[in-house]
Amino acid sequence: MTAHTVAPGGPHQAREVREDVDDLVRRRVPGQSLEAPFYTSQEVYERDLDVVFGQNWIFVAAAAEIPEPGDFVTVEVGAWSVILVRDDDEQVQAFHNVCRHRGSRLLPERQGSVGNIVCPYHRWTYGVDGKLMFAESQPPTFDKSCFSLRSVHVRNLAGLVFICLAQDAPEDFDAVAEVIEPHLRPYELDKAKVAVTYDLPEAGNWKLVMENNRECYHCDGHPELITAYFPLFAYEAEDITPRLKPLYDRYVKAGDALAKVRADHGLPVRDHRELDTRQVGFQLSHLPLDGEGKSFAPNGGAVCSKLLGSVKDAAFGDLSLHMQPNSWFHLLSDHAVVFSVLPTSTGTSTLRTTWLVHPDAVEGVDYDLDALTMVWRATNDQDRALVAGTQVGCTNPGYVPGPYSMVEDDVEAFVNWYVTRLREAIA
Amino acid sequence: MTAHTVAPGGPHQAREVREDVDDLVRRRVPGQSLEAPFYTSQEVYERDLDVVFGQNWIFVAAAAEIPEPGDFVTVEVGAWSVILVRDDDEQVQAFHNVCRHRGSRLLPERQGSVGNIVCPYHRWTYGVDGKLMFAESQPPTFDKSCFSLRSVHVRNLAGLVFICLAQDAPEDFDAVAEVIEPHLRPYELDKAKVAVTYDLPEAGNWKLVMENNRECYHCDGHPELITAYFPLFAYEAEDITPRLKPLYDRYVKAGDALAKVRADHGLPVRDHRELDTRQVGFQLSHLPLDGEGKSFAPNGGAVCSKLLGSVKDAAFGDLSLHMQPNSWFHLLSDHAVVFSVLPTSTGTSTLRTTWLVHPDAVEGVDYDLDALTMVWRATNDQDRALVAGTQVGCTNPGYVPGPYSMVEDDVEAFVNWYVTRLREAIA
Amino acid sequence: MTAHTVAPGGPHQAREVREDVDDLVRRRVPGQSLEAPFYTSQEVYERDLDVVFGQNWIFVAAAAEIPEPGDFVTVEVGAWSVILVRDDDEQVQAFHNVCRHRGSRLLPERQGSVGNIVCPYHRWTYGVDGKLMFAESQPPTFDKSCFSLRSVHVRNLAGLVFICLAQDAPEDFDAVAEVIEPHLRPYELDKAKVAVTYDLPEAGNWKLVMENNRECYHCDGHPELITAYFPLFAYEAEDITPRLKPLYDRYVKAGDALAKVRADHGLPVRDHRELDTRQVGFQLSHLPLDGEGKSFAPNGGAVCSKLLGSVKDAAFGDLSLHMQPNSWFHLLSDHAVVFSVLPTSTGTSTLRTTWLVHPDAVEGVDYDLDALTMVWRATNDQDRALVAGTQVGCTNPGYVPGPYSMVEDDVEAFVNWYVTRLREAIA
């Protein structure tokens, strides 16, 4: 008997996969979950870093985290470390967080504020525009202009900061931004205040975290979250029984009301779904909320007394934005929550969640931090447990891919987008 | 100079071994310990999981751990997780512990009791017979009968549960069971009570744990254990000096008495040694005990006042059973101790030890837990230190295989059995 | 787009490197720092252990650590463990720390004293000369003389113990020893007393620790250290401004005075620099000290009231010895500090620092331990942080090699020596 009579995957899948990432990609079967090595093998993880995180636009921060010139955050993407800094023209710049001399990390902190960027090792000094200003004991032939910090592509989309680590960034970001920006504009996120940022370590491959976010088939496990929405996630039209009809009618009515409110603001109302039909895949939806219809308070009420930006009506629904490969966003009248997933190893990731409120909102006066963050802290933690259980499950050689249900179409769209990127890279 | 002028093995053995597990197996030299990579390389570890643990019958639990329908334990073998559950017909069933939908682990606990097996992710629900009973939001074409839990081969040998993870299990298990079962029957282990189970993490490759168990050349290091036995382990007939003669005579006499007692019970007395002469390798011996000759109390006395099953005479000796590749057992008149070794990485393993007593025995009344478990808790811990010292020693490039002494024949039999399995897989 | 449009190195560099250590070595560019995989890839780490630590003379201990027959220390070099023991003829012997039977580690402790070396597993017993004296239960054919401990090449250079793990050790050690020994002799380190040994874990590849030691371009970060020296490290002759002239003149004067003192002792005064011009690369310098010019006390004063060996004048300067690949030494009139760097993984190392004083010096009377060790405890810890920042920086795919400044010539000499060893091994 050979090893191959063992269940698919098998304890030495990493070995087999070494030569076979391309085969894995080619033989992927639509309509069902991916084979185990996509979640467990070092080779696929490295391929993901190269082809997905190394080649695509990824969401990494809210521009509101660096409001002033010299303010910076550092972002870890796999082994990459990138400095996001607001320059003297108030533009967001992105640089590799590594000295041009002998490679010391420049800024070890998660965030802070600097005049110049000074290497802790030999004091090489760079401006916030990345230019090398000073380096001691150099020969006359030394040309400072050849040793600026290496820049990274960056876009600030209405206050959401995206980077691309490739030398040539995908070109359709601007086209997508043109569609999305008018929807985001009224919330004025670039000027918002960061209420808090939490990093949640996930014991699962980054794709399992994303797949978990892309369906509500498991939302029975999210009691805090589902009270805000109309609990019709797992239902198709034909599932609407007489018992559900009143709820369904209320849902349709709330949707119409929301469309009217947005029209009154002169805002676009149309939803967009291009999750797997372009490289910068996204989905934008305006979701009505249940109860008071305002925000995430248990009764559907507001969690902050000041509305964001130019929003005038508290019953503004939930602008839900999903972007491939690593982010999602919920914008409500009184606050926004922005999410990014970043891989840290084959079987681990970090989910960063940032809550944004009106720049003048005062904690303890206009909002209570626990109440503001309660729904998504609880939801993230519930999902963390489900993702960890799936990672350990997929690692089991007894795992075989199973079929997606009728309500997991966005999961499949995510996987389609992902596999398409890998196929393009192979081609 | 090339790397190969360094001592055998060398710090990059894992690299060299990658292409060479087959060569390692082919060039194994009988009569001496294995080359270092057998204990230190990831490649050999993966081969062991495939060829040894993935293809052979391995002991994983006492049936007494799951006495009632719905009772389950989960067992980790490398990356595998297997559910052992007592079904409604009181038979022991074994399933891969992974959902047929998107691969979530089904039962995270080490043990418990369930009505049905419900996936924590999307609530797919399976019976204890493994059949899928319910899955929400499926299209009409969905056929539940195609998504039963994947079963694993399982045998309950007189209360000892063995599984085989291969698609086709070795056929000679039943022939071996026929030889062993009559010896085990009087102890009625299937009906026994679990006094306690301990998991001991070992800082050594699983084979070092097994090799350590297969010889008593090191038994000077087991003061608690050897008092129970006749300390003649390291001696050949020609080693019996005049000083040892009285002890030796006492040993022969006790052996005859034990044979008589077992004959009076109408039980088989013959020993069996097929450690490396068949795939289901085993050794069964009836060992007389010293002192009172009953059990593991310091004076050879009993450690539980109720005898197991239908055993009538406390001086029933020690039925010692060794099975390849991962288990050994000591059955005495008043209790039984069962051991399984499971690999967790190249250099680590888990030794699980379970103590069984009469179903009606009451802790604190019929037995004291510390007294019951003292000898093997001490012995396991002493062996743990010896195994850890050997793992770190074999990892040293300065290690070269050495010769087995005259009293390490069962170690060599274990290695013979092991190498034979690897050779068969190569062929 | 392929993975190679990502920055050099890239998250899967370990993968690429697998086939390419030879290419990395061949394409090394003089005058700039090494490519990332030299510091981050498992393949290079294994090559370093084979070719650098497995083939060259490395400093591992002060002979003063094992003053009496039977005294031993154990040294870990990668996966190797070596016993250094003083034999009955008071010579330092070196053996692989592994039993010739089944590979158990023999001496687990970092140091101690033994009569014989007894294996903890099966009691095989060896003399401190490595000869097997006893092994139980062996057949008559067993020849003890075939199972002596495997010896390791060892040299005691005026109290500094070097080993070579290769079967054939580089031959030029003795020629280098002849040059160095007369400089070391007056300090009589073999008879010295060990005041203390500290092991400092470094979060960096061993080469980053060495490179950090080989330049003072970063010495602004060492306030405690530079007070002892003339702060002219980063200066070339043409950098001596009028403001610096007085300091520079003082420096030249102190140098002349030191040369005279040593001449009066009838000692060699010449410096030697053969860092990359032979296999046993080294640099020996006599550095004048500032202030009182005696030792590392803040004012340049002594830190021990008894002078080492036959040294008569406290103003004896600093005999600074650098040896490739892993050590450096500072010998002063009143104490000596010896340093060895040993790799523990691709990205980690251990820096062992030992302080030596006169054999009759009494702690609390002749020296205060904190005062004796303050300068290098502080300096080591400052360097630890710089090394860790460089390791994490080089791991960033955004890293590209940068140019050495005019004052990093000893760093380049270290890298030249290192790359030459790897090239020789390839050839």
Side-chain angles (χ1 to χ4, degrees), chain B residues 173-226:
Chain B
F173 186 89
D174 297 336
V176 169
E178 239 175 74
V179 175
I180 296 174
E181 196 278 338
H183 293 262
L184 299 183
R185 193 183 306 138
Y187 300 91
E188 296 175 14
L189 296 184
D190 197 13
K191 296 205 195 68
K193 165 187 166 180
V194 174
V196 68
T197 292
Y198 291 130
D199 280 350
L200 181 68
E202 301 263 1
N205 180 273
W206 71 276
K207 296 187 290 292
L208 291 178
V209 181
M210 292 305 300
E211 292 171 12
N212 170 271
N213 168 257
R214 295 303 197 228
E215 47 97 353
C216 215
Y217 188 25
H218 68 277
C219 282
D220 287 350
H222 295 318
E224 299 82 359
L225 179 66
I226 55 181

Side-chain angles (χ1 to χ4, degrees), chain A residues 1-3 5-8 10-12 15 18 33 208 211-212 215 217-218 220 234-235 386-387 389-390 392-408 411, chain B residues 18 42-43 46 49-50 54-55 79-82 96-105 120-124 135-140 142 147 150 165-168 170 279 424-425:
Chain A
M1 284 178 286
T2 81
T5 66
V6 190
H12 67 165
R15 168 70 9 69
R18 178 163 298 114
S33 59
L208 291 179
E211 293 171 10
N212 169 272
E215 48 96 353
Y217 188 25
H218 68 277
D220 288 352
Y235 296 85
L386 297 173
V387 165
T390 310
V392 73
C394 291
T395 304
N396 183 341
Y399 163 73
V400 288
Y404 292 127
S405 74
M406 296 185 298
V407 294
E408 293 171 288
V411 178
Chain B
R18 177 163 298 114
Q42 179 66 12
E43 289 69 25
E46 292 165 354
L49 284 173
D50 289 342
Q55 304 293 337
W80 280 284
S81 177
V82 174
H96 288 290
N97 186 12
V98 55
C99 185
R100 293 299 308 275
H101 174 217
R102 275 165 53 193
S104 175
R105 174 151 294 186
Y121 205 160
H122 304 97
R123 305 283 156 209
W124 283 33
E136 206 179 350
S137 300
Q138 299 301 336
F142 182 76
F147 297 98
R150 301 181 60 232
L165 290 152
Q167 285 182 346
D168 307 308
Q279 183 157 4
E424 286 172 353

Side-chain angles (χ1 to χ4, degrees), chain A residues 135-147, chain C residues 236 238-239 403-407:
Chain A
E136 207 180 349
S137 299
Q138 297 302 336
T141 57
F142 183 76
D143 178 356
K144 286 208 295 286
S145 70
C146 299
F147 297 98
Chain C
E236 298 295 300
E238 62 265 34
D239 298 325
Y404 291 128
S405 74
M406 296 185 299
V407 294

Side-chain angles (χ1 to χ4, degrees), chain A residues 261-324:
Chain A
V261 168
R262 295 191 52 83
D264 295 347
H265 278 69
L267 296 172
V269 296
R270 216 185 110 226
D271 290 352
H272 297 267
R273 186 176 192 281
E274 298 203 52
L275 287 169
D276 56 1
T277 50
R278 63 190 308 161
Q279 183 157 4
V280 179
F282 76 103
Q283 174 164 253
L284 188 154
S285 322
H286 295 282
L287 306 176
L289 299 176
D290 202 355
E292 291 185 31
K294 295 175 180 169
S295 190
F296 287 149
N299 59 355
V303 290
C304 182
S305 61
K306 286 197 166 57
L307 299 190
L308 284 169
S310 64
V311 176
K312 298 275 168 296
D313 189 325
F316 212 61
D318 170 17
L319 166 45
S320 168
L321 175 64
H322 288 185
M323 294 194 73
Q324 315 292 30

Side-chain angles (χ1 to χ4, degrees), chain B residues 227-229 289-303 314-315 332-334:
Chain B
T227 56
Y229 295 96
L289 299 176
D290 202 355
E292 290 183 32
K294 295 176 179 169
S295 189
F296 286 149
N299 58 355
V303 290
L332 294 89
S333 59
D334 61 342

